[in-house]
Amino acid sequence: MVRLDKKAKRLYVLDTNVLIHDPAALYQFEEHEVVIPMTVLEELDKHKNGLREIARTARQVSRTLSDLTSEVSFDEIQQGIPIPRAGGVPLGRLRFLCYPDLKPLEHLEDNPDNHLLAETCRLRDERPDASVILVTKDINLRVKAAALRMPVEDYLTDRAFSDSDAMPDGVRIYPDTESGGNGPWDQLEVNVEVERVDHHTFYRLEGRPPSDWHLGMLVSDSENGAAFEAIIRELGPNHARLQLLTNYRHKAGAWGVHAHDSRQNFALNLLMDDDIDLVTIAGSAGTGKTYMTLAAAFQQTLDTKRFERIVFTRAPISMSEDIGFLPGTEEEKMSPWMGAFHDNMDNLLRDEHDGSTSWSEDATRTLIGSRVQIRAPGFMRGRTLNDTFLIIDEAQNFTPKQLKALITRAGRNTKIVCLGNVGQIDTPYLTANTCGMAAVVQRFRDWAHASHVTLRSVERSRLALAGEELL
């Protein structure tokens, strides 16, 4: 970021990628002026055709601009179009930037980014009374602007958290301060009452709960070998109600899968809980996210018959790109991106005695295939999923808008599980703060039927653990 002055009036010049990233970006700059150069309009026009998500977003931005300009005169457009606000009182203005005689910057090739830099530099020279700031998601363009001593900023309005470390892990550990302690009760200034309701144990807390508590959080006395593990069901200024978790470490496994630590036990409880409709599980590679989720899905679909089907989807290399014109069904076309699904199926169906797996047998594939559907996210629009266990893998590669489109597919008796690792984002312009998974964790933080957990321990192998720590 480069700031040369602190003038009261600001003109924010928006890059194309800002509008594609957030079509509502026009409304996020309060009383300041928003400037859209002709280069950006031309790029939006190039992106508008097609069925990809970027084309849909470009058309949405174009419709917004059309609505803002439809009822104003040419003179009003020249003076700046008032940007309407929720309260009805416009604050800032929208301006379009067009220079028919624009001279390119010296020593830079002729391309849209350099055109945008040239337009911004000329606007800065023409408006010495204001701070002209370029807003772009493109890191290289920000470096170029900084080299030209041009004020430049990233678009950070849609950040779910202030920094990547602020994403909550959904767990609060209160270790015993001394042997024979009472776990969290020694460290909390509350009165505790225990009650038993329908084979479940609840703890009623009277007093002031910690400020960092939220609904759906795990409260435990240890990461490993915990004697007390509970989920926060109710939370108020002067009370809380916690429910004791089921222990999935031993006999009460899910499809033969058992928890190894407190966080994994919490994840299995969330996956098996009828009161939790939305589960988000974060964690590095090898922590068991997909493995436990598939086990819980099979337990509730094939054994207890709570759901009729399992739908498994994930973002292809580029979200909403065509999955190809190769022969085959939708499942066969998605198979290159479904390696995690097939690997975990091998492990879930492996015989513990001889190490063989029944996943390769036709009868097993037919049985599982009748209940499991592999779907491309681009074809989920408009569907309603009833009696479904929906698994969204690699959720960190979706934008908030794309995850919203998937989550709103939920019909009656549907559970959605989002899996991901915000440390491995492949989609351009998304970060650990702005990806869809971060937005879902933050927005559903205080909803009683959603919960989040971040897994820590790597179960894959000692090599995978070393790679996670050393690389």
Side-chain angles (χ1 to χ4, degrees):
M1 180 190 300
V2 177
R3 286 289 183 86
L4 302 182
D5 48 26
K6 293 184 178 180
K7 300 182 177 73
K9 193 170 187 177
R10 297 179 187 175
L11 276 66
Y12 287 99
V13 182
L14 303 190
D15 192 4
T16 312
N17 50 56
V18 173
L19 295 172
I20 295 294
H21 182 75
D22 181 8
L26 293 171
Y27 303 97
Q28 304 299 328
F29 294 91
E30 299 179 347
E31 74 276 12
H32 306 293
E33 295 189 7
V34 176
V35 180
I36 299 182
M38 190 60 59
T39 301
V40 172
L41 295 176
E42 291 175 352
E43 286 195 305
L44 287 173
D45 188 61
K46 292 177 182 177
H47 287 311
K48 71 180 182 181
N49 296 319
L51 299 176
R52 297 168 55 192
E53 188 67 25
I54 188 174
R56 296 189 185 97
T57 306
R59 292 194 291 269
Q60 181 179 347
V61 175
S62 298
R63 287 192 294 268
T64 300
L65 295 176
S66 175
D67 292 340
L68 290 174
T69 58
S70 60
E71 297 181 0
V72 296
S73 65
F74 176 76
D75 291 337
E76 289 175 315
I77 293 177
Q78 294 298 105
Q79 297 171 3
I81 304 169
I83 300 177
R85 303 292 171 180
V89 180
L91 295 177
R93 289 181 176 271
L94 170 65
R95 297 183 183 274
F96 297 99
L97 196 60
C98 181
Y99 293 119
D101 57 342
L102 181 68
K103 295 181 180 179
L105 297 174
E106 295 182 5
H107 311 300
L108 294 179
E109 65 178 58
D110 188 14
N111 60 43
D113 282 354
N114 293 336
H115 267 288
L116 179 61
L117 287 174
E119 289 169 321
T120 308
C121 284
R122 180 162 171 179
L123 178 63
R124 178 191 60 186
D125 296 338
E126 291 179 352
R127 295 294 304 271
D129 60 315
S131 296
V132 178
I133 303 168
L134 175 63
V135 182
T136 177
K137 302 291 295 181
D138 191 332
I139 297 176
N140 291 331
L141 186 56
R142 292 203 297 269
V143 173
K144 284 184 180 180
L148 293 171
R149 296 183 58 80
M150 178 189 301
V152 61
E153 294 181 0
D154 188 5
Y155 180 72
L156 302 176
T157 304
D158 61 340
R159 289 188 305 175
F161 311 106
S162 58
D163 57 72
S164 59
D165 294 328
M167 181 172 172
D169 59 5
V171 177
R172 189 72 168 88
I173 305 295
Y174 293 91
D176 283 337
T177 55
E178 53 187 45
S179 60
N182 295 319
W185 316 131
D186 291 336
Q187 305 173 47
L188 300 176
E189 297 180 358
V190 293
N191 297 320
V192 183
E193 294 182 2
V194 183
E195 58 182 349
R196 184 83 174 170
V197 180
D198 295 333
H199 306 291
H200 295 290
T201 303
F202 293 90
Y203 290 77
R204 177 77 181 184
L205 278 58
E206 296 292 340
R208 186 173 295 276
S211 59
D212 58 350
W213 279 17
H214 61 79
L215 291 175
M217 173 180 277
L218 166 68
V219 177
S220 175
D221 60 4
S222 175
E223 288 278 3
N224 299 302
F228 177 83
E229 295 172 334
I231 182 174
I232 302 175
R233 292 295 194 187
E234 299 176 13
L235 185 63
N238 298 307
H239 79 280
R241 192 166 185 251
L242 280 61
Q243 179 182 343
L244 203 64
L245 297 180
T246 302
N247 190 344
Y248 285 101
R249 290 176 176 84
H250 305 296
K251 292 183 179 180
W255 197 258
V257 174
H258 302 281
H260 291 168
D261 60 23
S262 187
R263 291 172 185 263
Q264 288 187 357
N265 190 57
F266 184 44
L268 284 174
N269 272 272
L270 298 180
L271 293 168
M272 300 294 292
D273 194 332
D274 294 348
D275 290 331
I276 301 296
D277 300 330
L278 176 64
V279 180
T280 52
I281 304 178
S284 57
T287 50
K289 303 184 297 294
T290 308
Y291 187 66
M292 289 191 296
T293 302
L294 280 174
F298 287 137
Q299 177 77 21
Q300 296 172 87
T301 303
L302 302 179
D303 283 3
T304 63
K305 304 293 192 296
R306 181 192 166 194
F307 303 105
E308 292 184 0
R309 59 182 172 175
I310 302 168
V311 176
F312 192 96
T313 187
R314 62 170 291 175
I317 295 175
S318 296
M319 168 61 185
S320 294
E321 286 280 3
D322 237 342
I323 58 177
F325 297 96
L326 297 174
T329 63
E330 184 180 353
E331 287 88 348
E332 291 171 337
K333 290 180 179 181
M334 283 295 292
S335 62
W337 294 292
M338 290 301 171
F341 172 81
H342 294 291
D343 291 344
N344 282 283
M345 287 303 304
D346 283 335
N347 291 325
L348 284 171
L349 300 175
R350 189 175 302 280
D351 191 301
E352 295 181 357
H353 300 290
D354 59 10
S356 63
T357 177
S358 58
W359 178 235
S360 58
E361 299 177 4
D362 291 339
T364 303
R365 284 183 174 269
T366 301
L367 172 64
I368 300 297
S370 65
R371 294 298 185 94
V372 180
Q373 300 176 4
I374 297 175
R375 293 290 178 257
F379 296 148
M380 298 284 282
R381 187 183 296 270
R383 297 188 62 184
T384 299
L385 302 176
N386 296 320
D387 303 309
T388 300
F389 194 106
L390 174 59
I391 304 172
I392 305 174
D393 199 14
E394 302 293 340
Q396 78 279 0
N397 283 324
F398 290 94
T399 67
K401 179 184 175 184
Q402 290 163 346
L403 266 191
K404 177 182 178 180
L406 291 176
I407 291 174
T408 53
R409 300 305 97 214
R412 69 175 187 278
N413 189 36
T414 289
K415 190 184 190 82
I416 297 181
V417 182
C418 298
L419 310 175
N421 178 12
V422 294
Q424 295 182 345
I425 296 177
D426 302 316
T427 305
Y429 306 129
L430 288 185
T431 67
N433 291 329
T434 61
C435 66
M437 187 165 188
V440 168
V441 171
Q442 178 64 15
R443 306 282 170 78
F444 284 90
R445 184 174 182 265
D446 296 315
W447 191 49
H449 303 287
S451 192
H452 167 75
V453 62
T454 299
L455 303 180
R456 300 292 188 195
S457 59
V458 176
E459 303 292 339
R460 188 163 288 167
S461 68
R462 62 186 180 188
L463 175 59
L465 177 60
E468 186 68 29
E469 294 177 349
L470 301 177
L471 295 179

